[in-house]
Amino acid sequence: MARITIMGPSGRQERQLFRHNSLGRHPRNTHQVLDRVVSKEHCHIDLVAGHYVLRDLGSLNGTFVNGQRVQERRLEPGDEITIGSTRIVFEPARRSTHISFDGLGAEELQDATNRFKIGDSDAGPLIRAKVSVLAEKTFFAEELIEDEASLRRDYEKLRASYEVTRAIEIGTSVTALCNKILEVAFRLVPADRGVILLHDDRGLLEPVSVRTGEGVDPDQEVVVSKTVLDTVVREKEAVLSHDASSDARFQSAQSVIMQGIRSTMCVPLLHKDTVLGVMMLDSKLATHAFTEKDLALFETVASQAAIAIQNTLFAKKLEQEAVMRERFRRLLSPAIAEQVLSGELEVKKGGELRETTILFADIRGFTGISESCAPQVVVDALNEYFERMVEIVFRYEGTLDKFIGDEMMVLFGAPVAHLDDPVRAVRAALEMQAAMAALNLGHEARGLPPFEIGIGINTGEVVAGYIGSSEALEYTVIGDPVNTGSRLCAIAKPGQTLISEGTREKLGGQFELRELPDEQLKGKTRPTKVFELLGGAERD
């Protein structure tokens, strides 16, 4: 949709063009121009054969296009019309194009935020390289205010802060927050397009939110100057370009010239001394589209935005850490969990090969117990059993992988390894079997059958890491040694602990073992050597 931007004594306004448009001082005109040296009906702009044509109506002071007085003229993109002391810039309907990033080395993004591209421009002394002083962050005491202008500036800064604060929603995502911030910026400052870019984990600026003004084609290519971005990030200063096409600082920025961006404001999102990202507004329609007042308001918005974004990022980080802390505390002994959370020990999120001893423990005859007792009684007894077993596992710094009904799977060596993990697993098994006697005394008092467990232990190289979906991840191990440990547990008799040859070789003769006949375990092509744990030496 074609439009004009009117800049005169009453300020700047953007208006959509219709098939017939009259401009003049009288309110009956399609577009009223409040300029005392403009005629009541000064000129017309009409759509003729697919093109807009400007026609002067015999005005006293005349109609000018690009500095030349005209009676009638077909308008071209970017033509500047002057009537009286008012300037009017013509912009035809825009064709839609792609969006990409140019000059940052980032791949072309696929979502809506990628309607912004990074490029550059050519310009003169109209640019101000360091203008953050225009938006002072302090407010003077009432007795120190010298003039009405200072008071008005302070009011505008407070208004901008209020608007941003009111728009912020607690608990929202960073993207939603940035969308709200740009919405506020557009209410306070007239602009065609805006973007918020934040640093990602690699330190690259990536667009998080993109917004276009009313009447602007949302699908058109939008360019952000890499030179501008680099300057803002490096110097931590705002950049105001009154006319990017004549700005000497952006001589290498050809993409801005090609896009015809004439006015740009770009401010850093500063939290303390850290640049979180950049906010930018631009206008394709007019030189001097942004004033120092606009920049002061925009910097105030950016200042509030940086605080809000940092708080949101911090809240998300705390939330993730809380979830991770809870997850580790369920899996690991308290001492090991704290070391992982503090960064002293690293838990890799991708899969990794590591030697691990896997222990399975299962209650024998549990199905029959469940059928003969009240469900709540069984659940209470099961919870008491698991509480005691996990306490023993954590004492030997094992990792609780999961509960599978009345069975539990425990890891020694993942995610945290010790030189004696097989020994720790076997000692834990001995203590678990011994603990059943005390638990069964309580069962007898409540009229419950005794619990007896079978345990299987195997050692081997497995793949350890986080497995699952983006919504539900769990740390576990995968590999044939896991299956072997489970099969040993399945054939263990009540009160019996069975150990594989791979585990026995790691024990160094510290335990009393009895070799049993080889077992043909399910899924194995050859018989497996099996050893029964009878007892052990005293712990060193």
Side-chain angles (χ1 to χ4, degrees):
M1 189 69 68
R3 64 177 182 171
I4 54 175
T5 299
I6 303 171
M7 292 159 288
S10 60
R12 179 182 187 268
Q13 55 181 315
E14 296 172 5
R15 305 297 298 270
Q16 177 181 326
L17 287 177
F18 305 98
R19 298 188 70 86
H20 171 72
N21 305 269
S22 62
L23 290 82
R25 197 174 71 250
H26 198 279
R28 284 200 302 264
N29 286 287
T30 312
H31 307 291
Q32 185 182 20
V33 179
L34 296 175
D35 186 328
R36 60 186 179 84
V37 293
V38 169
S39 300
K40 288 183 179 180
E41 190 172 6
H42 198 101
C43 62
H44 287 173
I45 300 177
D46 297 321
L47 185 61
V48 180
H51 299 281
Y52 279 96
V53 176
L54 170 70
R55 182 165 56 90
D56 181 72
L57 300 178
S59 62
L60 179 63
N61 294 307
T63 300
F64 297 80
V65 176
N66 301 330
Q68 293 183 343
R69 186 163 184 164
V70 299
Q71 290 298 320
E72 185 172 310
R73 173 160 171 171
R74 175 174 146 178
L75 294 175
E76 300 294 339
D79 275 351
E80 185 172 294
I81 306 161
T82 304
I83 56 176
S85 59
T86 298
R87 292 182 301 116
I88 302 168
V89 176
F90 170 73
E91 182 70 13
R94 299 182 174 109
R95 294 190 301 267
S96 102
T97 56
H98 285 340
I99 312 308
S100 63
F101 258 67
D102 167 41
L104 277 186
E107 296 179 359
E108 183 164 334
L109 304 175
Q110 301 299 316
D111 59 311
T113 58
N114 287 341
R115 294 195 179 97
F116 241 83
K117 174 179 176 177
I118 298 182
D120 288 294
S121 135
D122 207 4
L126 298 176
I127 196 79
R128 288 169 172 79
K130 298 180 180 180
V131 290
S132 61
V133 292
L134 295 172
E136 296 172 1
K137 307 300 188 294
T138 57
F139 293 91
F140 293 108
E142 180 270 335
E143 62 271 14
L144 297 178
I145 297 177
E146 298 178 353
D147 54 26
E148 182 182 338
S150 297
L151 189 61
R152 287 181 177 276
R153 283 195 299 271
D154 283 352
Y155 168 78
E156 286 295 274
K157 287 186 283 184
L158 286 172
R159 182 167 74 95
S161 296
Y162 170 73
E163 290 285 349
V164 176
T165 303
R166 190 176 65 169
I168 293 171
E169 297 177 6
I170 302 300
T172 189
S173 68
V174 172
T175 300
L177 175 64
C178 289
N179 289 339
K180 284 285 188 180
I181 290 166
L182 273 185
E183 181 183 322
V184 171
F186 270 67
R187 287 205 303 264
L188 294 169
V189 181
D192 288 338
R193 294 156 306 195
V195 63
I196 295 179
L197 304 103
L198 299 180
H199 283 116
D200 62 14
D201 293 338
R202 300 167 296 167
L204 298 176
L205 283 172
E206 294 286 0
V208 177
S209 177
V210 174
R211 184 181 177 89
T212 55
E214 186 178 350
V216 177
D217 183 354
D219 294 323
Q220 73 176 136
E221 188 174 50
V222 182
V223 179
V224 181
S225 166
K226 181 179 185 297
T227 304
V228 172
L229 293 180
D230 289 346
T231 300
V232 170
V233 172
R234 182 180 63 252
E235 300 181 13
K236 300 177 183 177
E237 300 278 1
V239 165
L240 171 62
S241 170
H242 286 321
D243 187 343
S245 65
S246 60
D247 187 341
R249 293 191 334 107
F250 305 143
Q251 289 180 358
S252 63
Q254 297 302 318
S255 53
V256 170
I257 300 173
M258 293 169 63
Q259 288 297 313
I261 295 174
R262 303 202 183 166
S263 297
T264 303
M265 287 195 302
C266 193
V267 295
L269 293 168
L270 275 173
H271 180 259
K272 297 182 179 177
D273 201 41
T274 301
V275 179
L276 302 178
V278 171
M279 283 182 67
M280 183 171 179
L281 296 180
D282 74 43
S283 171
K284 284 189 67 176
L285 296 180
T287 60
H288 295 275
F290 303 124
T291 65
E292 281 80 0
K293 175 186 173 183
D294 293 330
L295 182 64
L297 283 175
F298 194 40
E299 281 199 308
T300 302
V301 171
S303 179
Q304 294 294 312
I307 295 171
I309 290 170
Q310 178 61 32
N311 287 344
T312 301
L313 292 172
F314 187 62
K316 296 296 182 186
K317 182 180 178 182
L318 288 179
E319 181 182 336
Q320 291 169 356
E321 287 182 353
V323 171
M324 192 64 70
R325 186 178 297 273
E326 182 63 26
R327 182 177 296 162
F328 277 131
R329 282 180 171 164
R330 287 199 302 266
L331 297 175
L332 306 173
S333 67
I336 296 297
E338 286 304 320
Q339 289 182 59
V340 172
L341 292 166
S342 66
E344 294 179 45
L345 292 174
E346 181 184 6
V347 178
K348 295 184 179 179
K349 292 189 177 181
E352 58 174 341
L353 284 173
R354 59 190 308 147
E355 185 178 279
T356 304
T357 298
I358 305 102
L359 179 153
F360 285 89
D362 181 66
I363 300 174
R364 294 294 175 255
F366 185 75
T367 301
I369 296 173
S370 299
E371 292 174 350
S372 62
C373 300
Q376 190 58 52
V377 173
V378 173
V379 169
D380 290 344
L382 192 59
N383 284 336
E384 180 186 35
Y385 158 75
F386 280 137
E387 191 77 31
R388 184 73 182 96
M389 296 301 106
V390 171
E391 177 187 329
I392 294 169
V393 167
F394 282 177
R395 186 180 309 131
Y396 289 95
E397 298 187 343
T399 298
L400 175 62
D401 185 288
K402 61 175 70 71
F403 295 120
I404 313 165
D406 61 305
E407 184 180 58
M408 60 188 296
M409 175 179 169
V410 179
L411 312 176
F412 292 85
V416 180
H418 306 86
L419 294 175
D420 59 344
D421 281 316
V423 173
R424 289 170 183 255
V426 173
R427 283 176 173 160
L430 283 172
E431 195 167 328
M432 289 166 73
Q433 293 285 15
M436 293 308 305
L439 285 173
N440 285 330
L441 288 176
H443 288 189
E444 185 179 354
R446 287 175 296 193
L448 274 171
F451 281 3
E452 291 184 295
I453 59 174
I455 297 176
I457 302 175
N458 184 37
T459 301
E461 195 171 65
V462 296
V463 177
Y466 286 98
I467 295 174
S469 71
S470 58
E471 298 296 327
L473 285 173
E474 67 172 12
Y475 185 87
T476 190
V477 295
I478 292 178
D480 184 63
V482 178
N483 299 329
T484 300
S486 179
R487 301 286 185 264
L488 290 174
C489 177
I491 65 172
K493 297 175 183 177
Q496 190 178 46
T497 297
L498 299 182
I499 294 173
S500 69
E501 185 175 25
T503 300
R504 182 190 68 85
E505 292 173 351
K506 305 284 183 178
L507 300 179
Q510 296 187 47
F511 300 92
E512 184 182 352
L513 304 173
R514 182 177 64 188
E515 185 172 358
L516 301 178
D518 292 356
E519 289 280 353
Q520 185 63 53
L521 299 180
K522 183 179 178 181
K524 296 288 185 181
T525 57
R526 291 185 297 179
T528 301
K529 287 187 175 295
V530 180
F531 300 85
E532 180 182 7
L533 175 64
L534 301 177
E538 291 297 318
R539 190 175 180 182
D540 295 336

PDB file of all heavy atoms in Angstrom, residues 30-55:
ATOM      1  N   THR A  30      -8.355  15.140   2.342  1.00  0.00           N
ATOM      2  CA  THR A  30      -8.013  13.756   2.700  1.00  0.00           C
ATOM      3  C   THR A  30      -6.876  13.732   3.721  1.00  0.00           C
ATOM      4  O   THR A  30      -6.894  12.952   4.688  1.00  0.00           O
ATOM      5  CB  THR A  30      -7.577  12.971   1.444  1.00  0.00           C
ATOM      6  OG1 THR A  30      -8.517  13.187   0.400  1.00  0.00           O
ATOM      7  CG2 THR A  30      -7.470  11.486   1.744  1.00  0.00           C
ATOM      8  N   HIS A  31      -5.874  14.591   3.504  1.00  0.00           N
ATOM      9  CA  HIS A  31      -4.733  14.678   4.415  1.00  0.00           C
ATOM     10  C   HIS A  31      -4.543  16.152   4.784  1.00  0.00           C
ATOM     11  O   HIS A  31      -4.079  16.945   3.963  1.00  0.00           O
ATOM     12  CB  HIS A  31      -3.469  14.131   3.746  1.00  0.00           C
ATOM     13  CG  HIS A  31      -3.635  12.762   3.183  1.00  0.00           C
ATOM     14  ND1 HIS A  31      -3.795  11.641   3.967  1.00  0.00           N
ATOM     15  CD2 HIS A  31      -3.712  12.324   1.882  1.00  0.00           C
ATOM     16  CE1 HIS A  31      -3.940  10.575   3.197  1.00  0.00           C
ATOM     17  NE2 HIS A  31      -3.901  10.974   1.923  1.00  0.00           N
ATOM     18  N   GLN A  32      -4.932  16.497   6.003  1.00  0.00           N
ATOM     19  CA  GLN A  32      -4.808  17.879   6.445  1.00  0.00           C
ATOM     20  C   GLN A  32      -3.351  18.192   6.771  1.00  0.00           C
ATOM     21  O   GLN A  32      -2.667  17.405   7.433  1.00  0.00           O
ATOM     22  CB  GLN A  32      -5.678  18.133   7.675  1.00  0.00           C
ATOM     23  CG  GLN A  32      -5.694  19.592   8.123  1.00  0.00           C
ATOM     24  CD  GLN A  32      -6.535  19.794   9.368  1.00  0.00           C
ATOM     25  OE1 GLN A  32      -6.816  18.853  10.111  1.00  0.00           O
ATOM     26  NE2 GLN A  32      -6.945  21.040   9.621  1.00  0.00           N
ATOM     27  N   VAL A  33      -2.875  19.331   6.295  1.00  0.00           N
ATOM     28  CA  VAL A  33      -1.510  19.785   6.552  1.00  0.00           C
ATOM     29  C   VAL A  33      -1.599  21.085   7.357  1.00  0.00           C
ATOM     30  O   VAL A  33      -1.995  22.136   6.831  1.00  0.00           O
ATOM     31  CB  VAL A  33      -0.742  20.010   5.232  1.00  0.00           C
ATOM     32  CG1 VAL A  33       0.673  20.506   5.528  1.00  0.00           C
ATOM     33  CG2 VAL A  33      -0.708  18.731   4.409  1.00  0.00           C
ATOM     34  N   LEU A  34      -1.255  20.996   8.622  1.00  0.00           N
ATOM     35  CA  LEU A  34      -1.378  22.157   9.512  1.00  0.00           C
ATOM     36  C   LEU A  34      -0.143  23.045   9.371  1.00  0.00           C
ATOM     37  O   LEU A  34       0.775  23.005  10.191  1.00  0.00           O
ATOM     38  CB  LEU A  34      -1.568  21.687  10.960  1.00  0.00           C
ATOM     39  CG  LEU A  34      -2.866  20.908  11.219  1.00  0.00           C
ATOM     40  CD1 LEU A  34      -2.902  20.379  12.651  1.00  0.00           C
ATOM     41  CD2 LEU A  34      -4.075  21.795  10.951  1.00  0.00           C
ATOM     42  N   ASP A  35      -0.137  23.815   8.288  1.00  0.00           N
ATOM     43  CA  ASP A  35       0.971  24.717   7.992  1.00  0.00           C
ATOM     44  C   ASP A  35       0.353  26.019   7.477  1.00  0.00           C
ATOM     45  O   ASP A  35      -0.396  26.022   6.490  1.00  0.00           O
ATOM     46  CB  ASP A  35       1.866  24.067   6.920  1.00  0.00           C
ATOM     47  CG  ASP A  35       3.132  24.868   6.648  1.00  0.00           C
ATOM     48  OD1 ASP A  35       3.093  26.103   6.754  1.00  0.00           O
ATOM     49  OD2 ASP A  35       4.152  24.225   6.301  1.00  0.00           O
ATOM     50  N   ARG A  36       0.654  27.142   8.133  1.00  0.00           N
ATOM     51  CA  ARG A  36      -0.030  28.397   7.823  1.00  0.00           C
ATOM     52  C   ARG A  36       0.298  28.915   6.427  1.00  0.00           C
ATOM     53  O   ARG A  36      -0.426  29.760   5.893  1.00  0.00           O
ATOM     54  CB  ARG A  36       0.308  29.455   8.864  1.00  0.00           C
ATOM     55  CG  ARG A  36       1.769  29.804   8.986  1.00  0.00           C
ATOM     56  CD  ARG A  36       1.999  30.760  10.151  1.00  0.00           C
ATOM     57  NE  ARG A  36       3.402  31.097  10.298  1.00  0.00           N
ATOM     58  CZ  ARG A  36       4.008  32.066   9.597  1.00  0.00           C
ATOM     59  NH1 ARG A  36       3.307  32.778   8.726  1.00  0.00           N
ATOM     60  NH2 ARG A  36       5.297  32.307   9.773  1.00  0.00           N
ATOM     61  N   VAL A  37       1.390  28.453   5.790  1.00  0.00           N
ATOM     62  CA  VAL A  37       1.720  28.907   4.437  1.00  0.00           C
ATOM     63  C   VAL A  37       1.275  27.925   3.370  1.00  0.00           C
ATOM     64  O   VAL A  37       1.636  28.052   2.207  1.00  0.00           O
ATOM     65  CB  VAL A  37       3.233  29.184   4.299  1.00  0.00           C
ATOM     66  CG1 VAL A  37       3.645  30.371   5.141  1.00  0.00           C
ATOM     67  CG2 VAL A  37       4.044  27.953   4.659  1.00  0.00           C
ATOM     68  N   VAL A  38       0.461  26.938   3.767  1.00  0.00           N
ATOM     69  CA  VAL A  38      -0.122  25.989   2.825  1.00  0.00           C
ATOM     70  C   VAL A  38      -1.550  26.437   2.534  1.00  0.00           C
ATOM     71  O   VAL A  38      -2.291  26.859   3.423  1.00  0.00           O
ATOM     72  CB  VAL A  38      -0.092  24.560   3.415  1.00  0.00           C
ATOM     73  CG1 VAL A  38      -0.933  23.605   2.579  1.00  0.00           C
ATOM     74  CG2 VAL A  38       1.342  24.056   3.502  1.00  0.00           C
ATOM     75  N   SER A  39      -1.961  26.319   1.274  1.00  0.00           N
ATOM     76  CA  SER A  39      -3.317  26.723   0.872  1.00  0.00           C
ATOM     77  C   SER A  39      -4.358  25.776   1.473  1.00  0.00           C
ATOM     78  O   SER A  39      -4.050  24.644   1.866  1.00  0.00           O
ATOM     79  CB  SER A  39      -3.428  26.713  -0.652  1.00  0.00           C
ATOM     80  OG  SER A  39      -2.499  27.612  -1.228  1.00  0.00           O
ATOM     81  N   LYS A  40      -5.616  26.245   1.500  1.00  0.00           N
ATOM     82  CA  LYS A  40      -6.696  25.434   2.067  1.00  0.00           C
ATOM     83  C   LYS A  40      -6.799  24.094   1.336  1.00  0.00           C
ATOM     84  O   LYS A  40      -6.985  23.052   1.954  1.00  0.00           O
ATOM     85  CB  LYS A  40      -8.026  26.184   1.977  1.00  0.00           C
ATOM     86  CG  LYS A  40      -8.129  27.346   2.950  1.00  0.00           C
ATOM     87  CD  LYS A  40      -9.505  27.986   2.860  1.00  0.00           C
ATOM     88  CE  LYS A  40      -9.623  29.145   3.845  1.00  0.00           C
ATOM     89  NZ  LYS A  40     -10.968  29.795   3.775  1.00  0.00           N
ATOM     90  N   GLU A  41      -6.750  24.115   0.026  1.00  0.00           N
ATOM     91  CA  GLU A  41      -6.627  22.881  -0.758  1.00  0.00           C
ATOM     92  C   GLU A  41      -5.455  23.107  -1.694  1.00  0.00           C
ATOM     93  O   GLU A  41      -5.575  23.785  -2.709  1.00  0.00           O
ATOM     94  CB  GLU A  41      -7.907  22.577  -1.536  1.00  0.00           C
ATOM     95  CG  GLU A  41      -7.878  21.189  -2.164  1.00  0.00           C
ATOM     96  CD  GLU A  41      -9.216  20.790  -2.770  1.00  0.00           C
ATOM     97  OE1 GLU A  41     -10.140  21.633  -2.808  1.00  0.00           O
ATOM     98  OE2 GLU A  41      -9.341  19.624  -3.205  1.00  0.00           O
ATOM     99  N   HIS A  42      -4.333  22.538  -1.358  1.00  0.00           N
ATOM    100  CA  HIS A  42      -3.063  22.898  -1.978  1.00  0.00           C
ATOM    101  C   HIS A  42      -2.747  22.062  -3.225  1.00  0.00           C
ATOM    102  O   HIS A  42      -2.361  22.596  -4.265  1.00  0.00           O
ATOM    103  CB  HIS A  42      -1.934  22.747  -0.958  1.00  0.00           C
ATOM    104  CG  HIS A  42      -0.680  23.465  -1.328  1.00  0.00           C
ATOM    105  ND1 HIS A  42      -0.314  24.677  -0.794  1.00  0.00           N
ATOM    106  CD2 HIS A  42       0.310  23.132  -2.202  1.00  0.00           C
ATOM    107  CE1 HIS A  42       0.841  25.070  -1.306  1.00  0.00           C
ATOM    108  NE2 HIS A  42       1.239  24.136  -2.165  1.00  0.00           N
ATOM    109  N   CYS A  43      -2.904  20.744  -3.126  1.00  0.00           N
ATOM    110  CA  CYS A  43      -2.556  19.863  -4.242  1.00  0.00           C
ATOM    111  C   CYS A  43      -3.304  18.552  -4.129  1.00  0.00           C
ATOM    112  O   CYS A  43      -3.882  18.233  -3.080  1.00  0.00           O
ATOM    113  CB  CYS A  43      -1.055  19.637  -4.307  1.00  0.00           C
ATOM    114  SG  CYS A  43      -0.369  18.813  -2.844  1.00  0.00           S
ATOM    115  N   HIS A  44      -3.273  17.781  -5.200  1.00  0.00           N
ATOM    116  CA  HIS A  44      -3.864  16.446  -5.227  1.00  0.00           C
ATOM    117  C   HIS A  44      -2.781  15.410  -5.554  1.00  0.00           C
ATOM    118  O   HIS A  44      -1.837  15.700  -6.298  1.00  0.00           O
ATOM    119  CB  HIS A  44      -4.960  16.348  -6.291  1.00  0.00           C
ATOM    120  CG  HIS A  44      -6.217  17.066  -5.936  1.00  0.00           C
ATOM    121  ND1 HIS A  44      -7.270  17.210  -6.817  1.00  0.00           N
ATOM    122  CD2 HIS A  44      -6.597  17.695  -4.787  1.00  0.00           C
ATOM    123  CE1 HIS A  44      -8.243  17.882  -6.228  1.00  0.00           C
ATOM    124  NE2 HIS A  44      -7.853  18.203  -5.007  1.00  0.00           N
ATOM    125  N   ILE A  45      -2.975  14.207  -5.033  1.00  0.00           N
ATOM    126  CA  ILE A  45      -2.168  13.051  -5.442  1.00  0.00           C
ATOM    127  C   ILE A  45      -3.157  11.971  -5.838  1.00  0.00           C
ATOM    128  O   ILE A  45      -3.904  11.452  -4.992  1.00  0.00           O
ATOM    129  CB  ILE A  45      -1.241  12.556  -4.309  1.00  0.00           C
ATOM    130  CG1 ILE A  45      -0.262  13.647  -3.879  1.00  0.00           C
ATOM    131  CG2 ILE A  45      -0.486  11.304  -4.751  1.00  0.00           C
ATOM    132  CD1 ILE A  45       0.634  13.250  -2.720  1.00  0.00           C
ATOM    133  N   ASP A  46      -3.180  11.615  -7.126  1.00  0.00           N
ATOM    134  CA  ASP A  46      -4.169  10.675  -7.635  1.00  0.00           C
ATOM    135  C   ASP A  46      -3.497   9.483  -8.302  1.00  0.00           C
ATOM    136  O   ASP A  46      -2.421   9.606  -8.905  1.00  0.00           O
ATOM    137  CB  ASP A  46      -5.087  11.366  -8.652  1.00  0.00           C
ATOM    138  CG  ASP A  46      -5.891  12.495  -8.023  1.00  0.00           C
ATOM    139  OD1 ASP A  46      -6.342  12.321  -6.874  1.00  0.00           O
ATOM    140  OD2 ASP A  46      -6.053  13.550  -8.668  1.00  0.00           O
ATOM    141  N   LEU A  47      -4.148   8.331  -8.193  1.00  0.00           N
ATOM    142  CA  LEU A  47      -3.665   7.117  -8.852  1.00  0.00           C
ATOM    143  C   LEU A  47      -4.168   7.121 -10.289  1.00  0.00           C
ATOM    144  O   LEU A  47      -5.386   7.063 -10.549  1.00  0.00           O
ATOM    145  CB  LEU A  47      -4.173   5.877  -8.109  1.00  0.00           C
ATOM    146  CG  LEU A  47      -3.658   4.522  -8.612  1.00  0.00           C
ATOM    147  CD1 LEU A  47      -2.145   4.440  -8.495  1.00  0.00           C
ATOM    148  CD2 LEU A  47      -4.318   3.377  -7.845  1.00  0.00           C
ATOM    149  N   VAL A  48      -3.237   7.199 -11.247  1.00  0.00           N
ATOM    150  CA  VAL A  48      -3.575   7.271 -12.665  1.00  0.00           C
ATOM    151  C   VAL A  48      -2.781   6.192 -13.405  1.00  0.00           C
ATOM    152  O   VAL A  48      -1.545   6.210 -13.404  1.00  0.00           O
ATOM    153  CB  VAL A  48      -3.237   8.667 -13.249  1.00  0.00           C
ATOM    154  CG1 VAL A  48      -3.592   8.702 -14.733  1.00  0.00           C
ATOM    155  CG2 VAL A  48      -3.970   9.760 -12.495  1.00  0.00           C
ATOM    156  N   ALA A  49      -3.501   5.248 -14.004  1.00  0.00           N
ATOM    157  CA  ALA A  49      -2.864   4.176 -14.795  1.00  0.00           C
ATOM    158  C   ALA A  49      -1.772   3.453 -14.007  1.00  0.00           C
ATOM    159  O   ALA A  49      -0.690   3.158 -14.537  1.00  0.00           O
ATOM    160  CB  ALA A  49      -2.302   4.748 -16.099  1.00  0.00           C
ATOM    161  N   GLY A  50      -2.054   3.179 -12.758  1.00  0.00           N
ATOM    162  CA  GLY A  50      -1.113   2.419 -11.936  1.00  0.00           C
ATOM    163  C   GLY A  50      -0.009   3.232 -11.309  1.00  0.00           C
ATOM    164  O   GLY A  50       0.853   2.670 -10.616  1.00  0.00           O
ATOM    165  N   HIS A  51       0.010   4.558 -11.521  1.00  0.00           N
ATOM    166  CA  HIS A  51       1.052   5.407 -10.934  1.00  0.00           C
ATOM    167  C   HIS A  51       0.392   6.594 -10.239  1.00  0.00           C
ATOM    168  O   HIS A  51      -0.662   7.082 -10.665  1.00  0.00           O
ATOM    169  CB  HIS A  51       2.010   5.919 -12.019  1.00  0.00           C
ATOM    170  CG  HIS A  51       2.738   4.828 -12.742  1.00  0.00           C
ATOM    171  ND1 HIS A  51       3.828   4.190 -12.207  1.00  0.00           N
ATOM    172  CD2 HIS A  51       2.513   4.263 -13.955  1.00  0.00           C
ATOM    173  CE1 HIS A  51       4.255   3.276 -13.066  1.00  0.00           C
ATOM    174  NE2 HIS A  51       3.469   3.291 -14.136  1.00  0.00           N
ATOM    175  N   TYR A  52       1.059   7.051  -9.167  1.00  0.00           N
ATOM    176  CA  TYR A  52       0.547   8.229  -8.467  1.00  0.00           C
ATOM    177  C   TYR A  52       1.095   9.493  -9.127  1.00  0.00           C
ATOM    178  O   TYR A  52       2.296   9.592  -9.398  1.00  0.00           O
ATOM    179  CB  TYR A  52       0.933   8.179  -6.988  1.00  0.00           C
ATOM    180  CG  TYR A  52       0.008   7.280  -6.190  1.00  0.00           C
ATOM    181  CD1 TYR A  52       0.344   5.959  -5.922  1.00  0.00           C
ATOM    182  CD2 TYR A  52      -1.221   7.761  -5.732  1.00  0.00           C
ATOM    183  CE1 TYR A  52      -0.503   5.132  -5.211  1.00  0.00           C
ATOM    184  CE2 TYR A  52      -2.084   6.933  -5.019  1.00  0.00           C
ATOM    185  CZ  TYR A  52      -1.729   5.625  -4.759  1.00  0.00           C
ATOM    186  OH  TYR A  52      -2.587   4.813  -4.059  1.00  0.00           O
ATOM    187  N   VAL A  53       0.166  10.456  -9.363  1.00  0.00           N
ATOM    188  CA  VAL A  53       0.516  11.711 -10.023  1.00  0.00           C
ATOM    189  C   VAL A  53       0.179  12.875  -9.094  1.00  0.00           C
ATOM    190  O   VAL A  53      -0.934  12.938  -8.539  1.00  0.00           O
ATOM    191  CB  VAL A  53      -0.243  11.870 -11.361  1.00  0.00           C
ATOM    192  CG1 VAL A  53       0.058  13.226 -11.992  1.00  0.00           C
ATOM    193  CG2 VAL A  53       0.116  10.724 -12.314  1.00  0.00           C
ATOM    194  N   LEU A  54       1.145  13.758  -8.888  1.00  0.00           N
ATOM    195  CA  LEU A  54       0.969  14.956  -8.059  1.00  0.00           C
ATOM    196  C   LEU A  54       0.544  16.121  -8.957  1.00  0.00           C
ATOM    197  O   LEU A  54       1.139  16.348 -10.016  1.00  0.00           O
ATOM    198  CB  LEU A  54       2.289  15.294  -7.351  1.00  0.00           C
ATOM    199  CG  LEU A  54       2.343  16.638  -6.627  1.00  0.00           C
ATOM    200  CD1 LEU A  54       1.464  16.634  -5.385  1.00  0.00           C
ATOM    201  CD2 LEU A  54       3.796  16.975  -6.238  1.00  0.00           C
ATOM    202  N   ARG A  55      -0.502  16.900  -8.528  1.00  0.00           N
ATOM    203  CA  ARG A  55      -0.945  18.054  -9.309  1.00  0.00           C
ATOM    204  C   ARG A  55      -1.179  19.240  -8.385  1.00  0.00           C
ATOM    205  O   ARG A  55      -1.942  19.141  -7.419  1.00  0.00           O
ATOM    206  CB  ARG A  55      -2.222  17.697 -10.061  1.00  0.00           C
ATOM    207  CG  ARG A  55      -2.761  18.818 -10.950  1.00  0.00           C
ATOM    208  CD  ARG A  55      -3.781  18.270 -11.920  1.00  0.00           C
ATOM    209  NE  ARG A  55      -4.868  17.571 -11.252  1.00  0.00           N
ATOM    210  CZ  ARG A  55      -6.006  18.180 -10.848  1.00  0.00           C
ATOM    211  NH1 ARG A  55      -6.173  19.469 -11.042  1.00  0.00           N
ATOM    212  NH2 ARG A  55      -6.942  17.480 -10.268  1.00  0.00           N
TER     213      ARG A  55
END
